[in-house]
Amino acid sequence: MQCKKTAITYLLLIVSSIMFSQTFTYEYTYKLDSTDLNRISQDVLNLEINNSYSLFYSINRLKRNNYAKALETEIENNTLNLKSAPNPGVHWSIKNDSSRESIMVYEDYSIYKYKYSDHINLDWKLQDSTKFYDHLKLHKATTSFRGRDYIAWYTLEIPLSYGPYKFYGLPGLIVEIYDENKNHHFKMVETSKIKLDENYFSEFKLISKDDFKEFFDKYELNPMSLIPETEGIRIPENQKKIHKERMEARKARRNNFIELR
């Protein structure tokens, strides 16, 4: 971890004098299973910032999509190794326009790729508390967002008004943010050289947020019900039943989402 902190410190020397496109990597730990809060899941995400917008996306999701594109070649060469496939934790990516008029959310469920606009209004309360992370001086702020109360730590030494997920609007970059029970916790760990291809989101279909919620509820309960029979895919009824029962049990446990309303 020391080398990661050093990378952050070195970045300060650059950002303090020149503003340009930069990418920060965050560790995201979360607890989706409401019946077992000791079970912690994790993903690693990039916050890519340029002059007009920021992008927040899962590195493992990006790698998995690139991996999927290579599957056909591996099958042809008989070198397929599914164990090497990255395992992303989150399905969403967030694009935050600098105009702050709206945030675009991209949801990636393999063959189902949707995007929708989300309007965010965060009421930040700046606190007197400070702490240090490596050589960064962090300032405390609090806010409430869709059913959770959050504590954020931001730095004035990186004067970029962005942060992980849908959080923005503080006088400096949000280095760490978590809800009061730490069910969802984002923390910057290093800078990154990975950049997202500008055509990455070209295949996502624009729908309303309400329409996505309807899709998501069906997907969580029974993904097989979304496959139209016109696609020529025939799934035996007993398999459908078994899968539906498994998904219902899974849904009963996975209800501690980052947004509660």
Side-chain angles (χ1 to χ4, degrees), residues 22 26 28 34 49 66 87-88 112 127 144 164 227 238 244:
Q22 266 299 337
Y26 288 77
Y28 173 37
S34 61
I49 302 173
N66 291 336
N87 184 27
Y112 308 105
Q127 310 293 331
S144 296
I227 302 175
N238 64 325
K244 186 173 183 292

Side-chain angles (χ1 to χ4, degrees), residues 5 37 55 65 84 89 114 139 234 258:
K5 290 184 178 181
L37 293 178
L55 282 171
N65 286 348
S84 63
Y114 297 112
H139 301 262
R234 295 290 184 268
I258 189 169

